[in-house]
Amino acid sequence: MDGVPRVPEQRRSGSCAEPVALSFGVLGPVRARRGEVQLSTGSPQQRALLAALLLREGRTATAGELIDALWGEEPPSQALAALRTYASRLRKVLDPRVLVSESGGYAVRGLAEGALDLAVAQELAAEAEKARGSGDLRHAREVLGRALALWDGEALAGVPGPYAETQRVRLEEWRLQLLESRLDMDLEQGCHAEAVSELTALTAAHPLRERLRELLMLALYRSGRQAEALAVYTDTRQLLADELGVDPRPGLRELQQRILRADPSLAQAPSPKAEPASTLVRPAQLPATVPDFTGRSAFVAELGEVLASAEGRVMAVSAVAGIGGVGKTTLAVHVAHQARAAFPDGQLYVDLQGAGASSAEPETVLGSFLRALGTVDSAIPDSLEERSALYRSVLDGRRVLVLLDNARDAAQVRPLLPGTEGCAALVTSRVRMVDLAGAHLVDLDVMSPDEALSLFTKIVGAERVASERKAALDVVAACGFLPLAIRIAASRLAARRTWTVSVLAAKLADERRRLDELQAGDLAVKATFELGYGALEPAQARAFRLLGLADGPDISVAAAAAVLDLPADETEDLLESLVDTSLLESAAPGRYRYHDLVRLYARACAERDEWPPSERDAAMSRLLDFYLATAAGVYAIERPGDRLVDQLAPTAHPGLVFADRHTAQDWLYAEAICLLACVTRSAGRPETLARAIDLLWAAHDLSESGANSKGYEATAQTLVEASRRLGDPRAEARALMTLVTVHLVIGRFEQADQEAERATLLARQARDLLPVCWASNARGILALYQNRHADGEEHLSQAIEHFRTLGDRPGEASALCNLSRIHLATGRTTSAVALAREGIGVYDAMGNTMRGANARYALGLALTQSGELDSATDRLHEALEVFRDSRQRLWEGMSLFRLAEVDLAARRPAQAAANAEMALTVLRGIGGEWRRGNVLTVLGRALSGIGQTGRAQVCWQEAVAIYEDLGSDEAVEVRALLTPLRAA
């Protein structure tokens, strides 16, 4: 019995109630809702009737048409009676005014706009097509994605009848067309790596759909995988010949030929003239021009003329050189603002920090520029050459002005030049760039006395200067007519209404308050800073000196409070007052930075003025304590019960306290560069070396994040070298363990094992058990990777014993999970599962979410081998979610790789290929070549399983090359996979 659904309560609540809108879905199971309440649509035939009426879009369907739709050529004898029963039941569930009888038939009328998911999808698809036609690819992709998201599985799922079957085929074809359109736009927007994974799965599901194959070839080619792209064509040609007896269509054949020729136009999206997506993102990054810009009229005219000539030239480049503080940036920004109208597609700006010890890397700047121009992160390549090429491609056809401020030299600038007609670059530097080919060079000197006095007057006010003109001339002369010096002096005077100009002139006349030599370079800037520094209150001056000692691009209020040994509120007030003096900059809310030259001056002041001198070292010691205590707190939140935090050096600063794991992780990654800089600085002093090592150890999550892995490695190497020079076995053992972590992540297994062995010897010599525990655990997993299973079991058994001696339950659980993998590799599947479950039990009992993910990863491997594939998938997905949430890229990628292995075992090769492709994308730049070889091997198996044997062969060939280069035994196994293909 169908069971006629009861009319919902809100329908009987009285005529005063607002009617709740009905909505319907056909892009999936046929559904009806009143508001958020799902209504029963009855039997399959009843749903078929509702679907047929909804798809008529309000037109009346006769009884005969509906009978044909539900039953086809052989309706039951009581078909008309059954039809009327279904209509009656639906009318009661829905509303008599919605399902109406008309001319012996039925219709659905009076639906609100957006009530049917198919209608919404059609409107979104039309909007996407319009947006694409106007060049707004970003909006078109977003809208099309919303349309595709309306599908909930197969359209009209479970609905019987010939009409439903016909509509199902139609809707599925339309969905695939929309999907192809969206993927096409993905490639135009540079999302090649992500598209490969999705297209691999789609070509497996729809092997004869040539457009999908074409898109896959293009995505692979643009991802640098030319051999795989050609293999797709070979596989497709073979498949079409076998299945249909036809050749690939001309478009596919032409694409293959273009790939063989390495057609340059394939390496980038179509010209913006055809799809003007570049007009969507118009960066406007120029800093604000100063309202009191003064003089420099000849330079403004000269530079403006060069920029105006950009149209029709390959590229207009002007390089402005001069000593620090001469006003290069101010002039360049002013000229750039005046020229904005000539560059309607945007203006890019970057401070290259060329005057400092660590100038901006060109590849980092290119990444920032590409993002500003609308390129998604996943489409930005790794190498400098590839980023520079993509940058020029993105700018092709645009008119963009690029302001490269504070450049170190021509080598830093060259990769950042647009190189295309209509664009221009404006460069400032302290050095003349005579080796920058084709550049228009401008040497900027100090201001003339009249210009300098005019600038001073604009800032201070005409009334105060008019009555003391001679004193004002003395002031600008004492400033050496340097614009920055004049601006600082005038600003200080303007902020002190009780001072006269003569008072300021007298201060500047005192040579004790400025350097004797104002001749060139940094000396001139230093003299200007001396003026501002001399006007500071004692507390401000102390803050200025001590904070300049800290390395890193900026400093937070909390870290500054530790340096100054002051409460955070008082520290923030001091920092804000220094911002007012222009001696400090506000980088972001709660973060502050020095101009590179100001930092050098602040350090010179600390060397000269800080008393007692030991306060300099004490300030940096407090900063180290702050970072160590806070990083230890982060570690403790992420890994409850782990004894590492109890074995770290004691600190005098309590550090920050976090409410939850996510806030703690946010702090760690936000402070990564500053934290690593503090460790490096502290490595140079014997009294702080031990704490520096412990800080890096506590922050070892940074080694697995990808973004900070290289910095972590360099810092770890610095600590090892410093501890060896000191001859401290305890320090060296701990420093070596940080380096072992790096080698493990990168895949340098032999080096990792050697360093771990040395760390064990040194730690035993120093009677420091913790590095012994960690080293034994690391050597166990390293032995697994190198197929030395007996050695691995011995090391891990020792690690378990050592962790138990230390009372470190999470460490014990880690060793148990690693031992599970040894048992798995030696055929002891049952005990492998038991060991992994034991590890999970320990972690879960302690609330250790992140380490628990590692245990679930191990259990997922064991369950895969035991044949419990559904449970293995569940455990690996649980681990994957935690690793993503914790920003652990290495383990996120490895979880995807293991899921691909499960999919293969479950005979889901298409899903395996998709997961393996995603693993390759996530592991790009991290994990090392050995892991990449493993993923390529599994990807090849998956591709072979979906009939893409050409691509599979390319993947296996690359894997063999990797294994042979590393001397890995896996090369033999993968060669065996290639042999049958070669024989065929």
Side-chain angles (χ1 to χ4, degrees), residues 602-615:
R603 290 179 176 177
C605 290
E607 292 288 336
R608 181 189 66 191
D609 299 338
E610 198 59 45
W611 193 261
S614 60
E615 175 59 10

Side-chain angles (χ1 to χ4, degrees), residues 34-329:
R34 179 172 283 110
E36 297 299 320
V37 178
Q38 184 161 320
L39 306 178
S40 174
T41 52
S43 67
Q45 286 79 12
Q46 191 167 306
R47 293 197 301 275
L49 172 60
L50 177 59
L53 294 174
L54 288 170
L55 292 173
R56 293 257 176 175
E57 300 178 349
R59 298 188 304 275
T60 300
T62 67
E65 289 172 334
L66 292 172
I67 289 172
D68 287 341
L70 270 64
W71 291 286
E73 296 180 356
E74 298 182 359
S77 59
Q78 299 298 317
L80 182 58
L83 183 68
R84 289 171 178 168
T85 300
Y86 298 150
S88 175
R89 289 173 177 174
L90 285 172
R91 188 179 289 114
K92 291 177 181 179
V93 173
L94 305 175
D95 190 311
R97 293 168 296 181
V98 171
L99 201 162
V100 297
S101 300
E102 187 176 80
S103 302
Y106 299 96
V108 170
R109 301 271 174 80
L111 297 184
E113 185 177 352
L116 180 62
D117 58 359
L118 175 58
V120 175
Q122 290 169 335
E123 290 174 4
L124 290 172
E127 182 182 346
E129 185 177 356
K130 182 178 179 182
R132 187 176 188 181
S134 65
D136 193 347
L137 285 185
R138 184 180 297 274
H139 181 63
R141 287 175 65 208
E142 186 269 329
V143 172
L144 210 50
R146 282 160 47 199
L148 287 164
L150 292 172
W151 264 265
D152 184 15
E154 183 183 48
L156 305 175
V159 176
Y163 179 77
E165 181 58 32
T166 301
Q167 293 301 312
R168 250 193 304 275
V169 173
R170 179 181 71 85
L171 291 172
E172 175 61 11
E173 174 61 26
W174 185 51
R175 185 187 72 86
L176 288 172
Q177 290 174 1
L178 295 180
L179 194 54
E180 287 170 346
S181 180
R182 198 218 71 211
L183 285 163
D184 194 17
M185 288 187 284
D186 286 349
L187 297 188
E188 291 187 52
Q189 290 284 285
C191 303
H192 311 129
E194 293 82 352
V196 169
S197 176
E198 187 174 0
L199 282 164
T200 297
L202 285 169
T203 53
H206 307 279
L208 298 177
R209 201 169 182 93
E210 292 184 65
R211 178 55 180 158
L212 290 174
R213 299 272 182 155
E214 184 178 344
L215 291 170
L216 177 58
M217 289 175 65
L218 187 57
L220 286 167
Y221 182 75
R222 289 184 180 172
S223 299
R225 298 158 70 176
Q226 179 179 356
E228 281 188 69
L230 292 170
V232 170
Y233 178 81
T234 302
D235 291 338
T236 305
R237 183 180 61 185
Q238 186 65 48
L239 178 68
L240 292 173
D242 292 345
E243 296 290 330
L244 305 176
V246 299
D247 291 328
R249 63 187 179 85
L252 203 61
R253 295 199 300 272
E254 181 185 352
L255 178 59
Q256 182 225 18
Q257 293 300 312
R258 293 174 68 192
I259 291 174
L260 287 170
R261 296 195 308 269
D263 187 341
S265 65
L266 283 181
Q268 61 190 45
S271 168
K273 295 175 182 178
E275 290 286 357
S278 59
T279 61
L280 305 180
V281 181
R282 298 183 179 89
Q285 297 184 341
L286 295 178
T289 187
V290 293
D292 48 27
F293 182 83
T294 303
R296 309 294 203 187
S297 55
F299 291 113
V300 170
E302 180 181 352
L303 290 170
E305 183 178 348
V306 173
L307 294 181
S309 69
E311 186 173 3
R313 293 179 54 182
V314 172
M315 176 179 52
V317 181
S318 293
V320 181
I323 60 174
V326 79
K328 301 181 295 294
T329 299

